[in-house]
Structures are given as C-alpha cells and as structure tokens.
C-alpha cells in the first residue's frame, strides 16, 4: 500500500477555542506518528472562524517539537501572501531546528476572501499570477550557491523539499516544468483531478530535486465502527462546506442526524461534487472505497483529512485508516 499522510486544518469546534485546537493538532500528530503516517501537514487559511492554522510556520514548529520522526510541513503556504525571502527564512529556521523533517508545500490562492487578502498583503501590487516567479525565487534562496545578492539566513544550502499544490491544471503544469512533486486538492476540488494528474505526469521534467513524477492526492475519510456512525460524523464537514459556500463560515459544528436529507437539491449536488473523493463508513466500507480510489488514480501517496467534531472520534477515524494502510 502507498504511504498515507495527515492534512490538518487545526479545526476550531463550536464551543471550543484555538488553544484547544493546537493541543489537539499536536495530539493527532503524536498518534499519527505512532500509527505510521508519513507526514503531518498544516494549511494556511485566514479569517476563517473554524480554522486555527493561520500562522502556519509557527504551528509547524509546535508540532515538530512535540514529535520525533514524522515529517511536518505546510500544505500549504499561500505564497502570494508573503515575500519569498520571508518564507525561505521561516522554513530555513524550521529545517535548522528539525533537520530532515520539514516539507514546504506552496499554493497560489490567498487562502481567504479578497478583503482579508488585501489586509495580509498590504502591498496591493502583489499578484497571484507572479506565483511561478515567486516559486523560482524561493528555490534560489534555498540553493547552495544562490544567484541573488540577498541571502536567506538561515535557508541557503538547506534541503527543504518543495511541493506545488493545486486544484487546477495550472499547478500541474508548473510542478511538471520545475520538476517538483505535486499535491492535488482532490479532497475539496476534484473536478479536474484526473486531467491534472495526466498533464503533470506527461510533461514532467526531471530536476535535481526529483527524478520522476510524484503525485499526492487529498482524500477525505470519515471512518467509524459502523456505517451509520461514520455518516453521522461526516455531517460536521458537510455543514462546514454548505455554510462556507453560503458566505457564512462557522466553527466546526456538531454532527446532525438527517442533515443530508434536510438539504435542498442544489446543496446536496454541491456536496456530491466537492466531497466526491471521500470514504465514509465502517472499516470494511472505507477499505473498499480507498482501494477503489487508489486503483482509479494511481497516486504515489494519499493525504488524508478527517474533519470530525469530537476529538476522540477524529482519532479513531485516523486509527482505522492507518490499520487499513498497514493491512495493504
């Protein structure tokens, strides 16, 4: 079986707070390390009441300090929000503190709404269309012999693996051109997944960083001891997507019995689309769905996300998934 990794948004549950979310993220990472997960990634989002991982590099340091083997990284850093030099220094610092364990995934979306994006950038001349140039600049800061006069200290000469993240064909083309591994956000934007994988693999150019294509796919898992319990747990994430798409994002809400059945048809169709790359059910059900997805897409690695309201139930979902992975 291919490696499985964990994507964590450090969710803030209704009735809870960010401090609790950080404690639970570390607890999940520690369990994930024991269960054999390959990586633990945190994602940059801003102005979202239900997501606590805005200061992504800081939280990566917290998780890396509390674990010993699992790779810890960003899935991802939204590069248009930042100076490439600042990111090189941040992740150069992390790599210096936790050598051989830090990953840096890069995305070109703001990770927020336009108003928040303006507040983040300050400089309104920042442009997501400059993302390829920003990635190349960042790569140079990590080089042993940078071409630029300005050096990243720490950063220069450090081997921080870079990934391109994407949910469209743009990221696939860029990752292939630069010879970098590619992570596709199929856990919430699966519409062009197969086309993006094919485009990346067909156009991949070997580089000093990577000699052949490497694809990681996001995948939702809601696993429990029964199908009914898993479907119930999944309603927290379903509520989060409906509320977000309705322009009223909230903290992660408790699960609700009969939630899907109470939705209007357009909302159900939206959920069927955005969450189509998901496994929901008992261990046997999830195993069959995981195997079918892997057979259809042939990824090199899966990035598992499980946005479950109760922390114990969330841990159980990841534990079941790890057991499936070990069983092959």
């Amino acid at each position: 079986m291919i490696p499985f990794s964990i994507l964590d948004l450090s969710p803030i549950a209704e009735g809870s707070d960010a401090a609790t979310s950080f404690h639970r993220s570390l607890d999940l990472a520690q369990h994930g390390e024991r269960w054999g997960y390959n990586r633990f990634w945190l994602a940059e989002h801003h102005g979202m009441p239900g997501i606590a991982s805005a200061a992504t590099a800081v939280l990566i340091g917290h998780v890396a300090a509390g674990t010993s083997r699992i790779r810890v990284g960003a899935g991802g850093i939204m590069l248009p929000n930042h100076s490439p030099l600042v990111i090189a220094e941040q992740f150069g610092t992390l790599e210096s503190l936790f050598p051989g364990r830090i990953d840096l995934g890069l995305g070109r979306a703001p990770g927020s709404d336009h108003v928040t994006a303006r507040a983040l950038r300050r400089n309104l001349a920042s442009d997501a269309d400059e993302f390829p140039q920003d990635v190349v600049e960042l790569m140079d800061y990590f080089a042993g012999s940078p071409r630029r006069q300005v050096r990243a200290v720490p950063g220069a000469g450090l081997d921080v693996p870079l990934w391109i993240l994407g949910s469209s064909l743009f990221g696939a083309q860029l990752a292939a051109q630069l010879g970098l591994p590619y992570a596709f956000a199929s856990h919430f934007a699966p519409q062009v997944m197969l086309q993006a994988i094919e485009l990346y693999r067909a156009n991949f150019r070997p580089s000093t960083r990577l000699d052949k294509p490497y694809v990681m796919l996001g995948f939702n898992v809601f696993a429990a001891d029964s199908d009914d319990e898993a479907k119930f747990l999944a309603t927290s994430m379903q509520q989060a997507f409906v509320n977000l798409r309705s322009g009223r994002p909230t903290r992660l809400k408790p699960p609700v019995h009969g939630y899907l059945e109470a939705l209007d048809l357009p909302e159900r169709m939206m959920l069927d689309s955005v969450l189509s790359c998901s496994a929901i059910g008992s261990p046997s059900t999830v195993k069959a769905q995981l195997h079918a997805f892997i057979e259809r897409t042939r990824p090199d690695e899966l990035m598992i996300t499980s946005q479950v309201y109760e922390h114990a139930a969330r841990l159980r979902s990841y534990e079941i998934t790890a057991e499936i992975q070990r069983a092959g």
Side-chain angles (χ1 to χ4, degrees), residues 46-48 110-121 249:
H46 299 279
M48 302 289 285
S112 59
D113 57 66
H114 293 300
V115 175
T116 306
R118 288 194 195 96
L120 279 166
R121 295 173 193 171

Side-chain angles (χ1 to χ4, degrees), residues 29-51:
Q30 291 169 337
H31 279 86
E33 184 170 72
R34 291 195 293 271
W35 292 331
Y37 282 94
N38 191 35
R39 311 173 200 276
F40 188 93
W41 279 10
L42 294 143
E44 177 186 349
H45 292 272
H46 299 279
M48 302 289 285
I51 299 176

Side-chain angles (χ1 to χ4, degrees), residues 94-174:
L94 288 167
E95 176 63 23
S96 299
L97 289 168
F98 311 103
R101 295 183 54 211
I102 301 300
D103 295 329
L104 175 51
L106 302 167
R108 69 176 183 132
S112 59
D113 57 66
H114 293 300
V115 175
T116 306
R118 288 194 195 96
L120 279 166
R121 295 173 193 171
R122 298 296 181 185
N123 179 7
L124 299 185
S126 298
D127 187 352
D129 292 334
E130 295 177 0
F131 179 64
Q133 291 84 358
D134 288 345
V135 173
V136 171
E137 181 180 343
L138 180 57
M139 292 171 67
D140 186 61
Y141 287 131
F142 284 124
S145 300
R147 296 188 305 272
R148 286 169 171 78
Q149 183 177 357
V150 176
R151 293 177 66 88
V153 182
L158 295 182
D159 184 21
V160 179
L162 299 184
W163 294 67
I164 299 297
L165 278 56
S167 58
S168 68
L169 302 184
F170 181 91
Q173 291 172 315
L174 181 62

Side-chain angles (χ1 to χ4, degrees), residues 1 4 37 219-227 229-231 278-294 302 304 306 316-325 328:
M1 179 72 79
F4 284 9
Y37 282 94
F219 194 78
N220 301 287
V221 175
F222 301 92
D225 294 326
S226 70
D227 286 348
E229 182 185 359
K231 290 176 182 177
S278 302
I280 304 173
S282 66
S284 60
T285 300
V286 168
K287 180 178 180 179
Q289 293 171 341
L290 272 167
H291 278 252
F293 181 76
I294 292 169
L302 281 188
I304 306 297
S306 187
R316 179 61 180 148
S317 181
Y318 276 109
E319 183 181 23
I320 290 170
T321 307
E323 291 168 352
I324 293 169
Q325 192 274 339

Side-chain angles (χ1 to χ4, degrees), residues 6 199 296 319:
I6 294 173
L199 181 67
R296 181 166 66 100
E319 183 181 23

